[in-house]
Amino acid sequence: MNESMLKKSITKAITLWSFGLLSIAIVLVFAFPEVSAYYIGETRTAITAYMTWYFTLLATSALIFCVWLAFSRYGKIRLGGDNAKPEYSNFAWYSMLIACGEGVGLIFWGIAEPLLLFGDSKFAEPKSAEAISSSIEWSYFHWGIHAWAIYCIVAVVLAFSIHNCKKPLNFHNAVADLFPVSLRSPVSVTVEVIAIITTVLGLATSFGFAALQFNTGLNFAFGTEISVSFQVAFMVAIAGMTILSQRSGLNKGMRLISETNSWLSIVLLSVFFIFGPTIYIISLFFESVGSYFSSLFAMGLWNDSYSFIGGAGAWNESWMGLWTTFIWCWGAFSFAPFVAAFIAKVSRGRTIKEFLIGGIAGPSLIVMVWVVINGGTAIATDILVGGVVDATQANPAAGLFTTIEKFSSFEWISPILSLVAIVLIATFYITSLDGGTYSLSSMLHEEKEGKASKNAGYRYRIGLALMIATVAAVLLLAGGATVLASLQTGAMIAAVPFSVVVILGVVNLVRRLKLYESGLDTAFSENQLEAENSEGAPAYSLVRYD
């Protein structure tokens, strides 16, 4: 079988297996929601009980590896070769990173998590001064440095693969040449199917919950009825706007919406900061940042070991099951395939050091500013006025809008700021869906140069956007938040095998960096495949892609 036929065969197998398994999973959840929820919940409990140590170690190891790689001799390597130039300004680059990486999650949990941890603190008396500090610090931890280290470690594996090894943008090309030739086809299919299933489940479930939050916002601001039909209409509208954005391409549509997100976020933060408890926020920021950095590695390796004495209970009885383990699996690893693929694509021209330090430090700083202003304002509002924590405990989507409604005595601020927040939810998810479908398209469809191929790729991305919206809408219509929660946990479960893919990718990256530094290339041509010896040891060309 020649190389072209082999690629087509692998792509066909990936498509059939991924969509076949996804269809089976969705049908089972749709047909048997209670039974599915039970077994998925039991699996989540098992992950919490037996793999919490694994994910905490993995997240901390990702951070250590990123720091080592950035400051090693490999940090000077430029993605795309020595003469490559960055395609986007720093503002556009950071805007796209935040919008795709944590947009919807951050606008939702950036205020809900501090409130929930403040109202029911594990580390201090609930609603005490100590509870304020711990709630902000753990929110930094879950959405800041460790989370972005996970994104960046996956992204640098892909970025080096596509920009320096000239491979297509997918996971199997970043991993497969680590294995003997005889195993590369099944490994390629397995790796890509895992990445695709993880991505689709993550995007579809977050789409459903974004619709719920959007509807909640309109209800608070304008009294709009909370209904499934309205939420489905939101999904249709977002899918349509995503398609328009894709038509404009990354350089126009995606960049424009991402920069709009950034400016609207600045407006939201500025209003909270200026009209809220300004001095308190400034004081809380320095206080919490100092505590966060002094405890960074202790928090990273904390497993709540005491709770496992005598065996762990159900996941929802465990603090780690509700927070850290859940967020690492769902919020980090299940989003990593599409977030990392998108980050890798837009980072050509940056050195590995610039990519890693900028990709971790920049977004993490933005996360900390976001959390302390939003979360700090919300907590202060609850202390002074009351009702914010109670509303958030009843419905986490209500945290942001309850704060907007109560934080200021100026009545004209609330409707304006509610509208800004509503638009942010929509535009943040457009960028997430845009980036996600772009990444999925790369996994399933290798685009080549030429207008015809680009049009075919665009049609492919349209199909993916509509498919994800349809999956989310059907599940919401079928069983509402209960069914969505089951698939959300399904995405968390899919993160377990994907974490193995990440480990393999890192091992192969180190191997490739050594070869690249020596002037060798790891790209396998048909002639190179034929030249490999009987033990499967690879032969390398002496081509340096600069």
Side-chain angles (χ1 to χ4, degrees), residues 313-356:
W315 65 265
N316 54 7
E317 298 173 357
S318 163
W319 193 90
M320 296 295 285
L322 288 169
W323 293 106
T324 304
T325 306
F326 168 68
I327 290 173
W328 284 169
C329 289
W330 180 73
F333 278 101
S334 78
F335 280 74
F338 78 87
V339 173
F342 180 77
I343 294 173
K345 176 64 179 176
V346 300
S347 298
R348 177 181 170 83
R350 301 178 186 273
T351 65
I352 289 177
K353 182 177 182 179
E354 178 187 2
F355 171 79
L356 290 174

Side-chain angles (χ1 to χ4, degrees), residues 21-44:
L21 292 173
L22 278 169
S23 299
I24 291 170
I26 291 166
V27 167
L28 288 175
V29 172
F30 181 88
F32 309 102
E34 293 182 0
V35 175
S36 299
Y38 171 78
Y39 284 107
I40 289 173
E42 288 296 299
T43 306
R44 181 172 176 179

Side-chain angles (χ1 to χ4, degrees), residues 198-220:
T198 305
T199 300
V200 171
L201 291 178
L203 281 171
T205 52
S206 64
F207 202 174
F209 287 113
L212 294 173
Q213 188 185 24
F214 185 84
N215 199 176
T216 299
L218 287 180
N219 176 260
F220 267 81

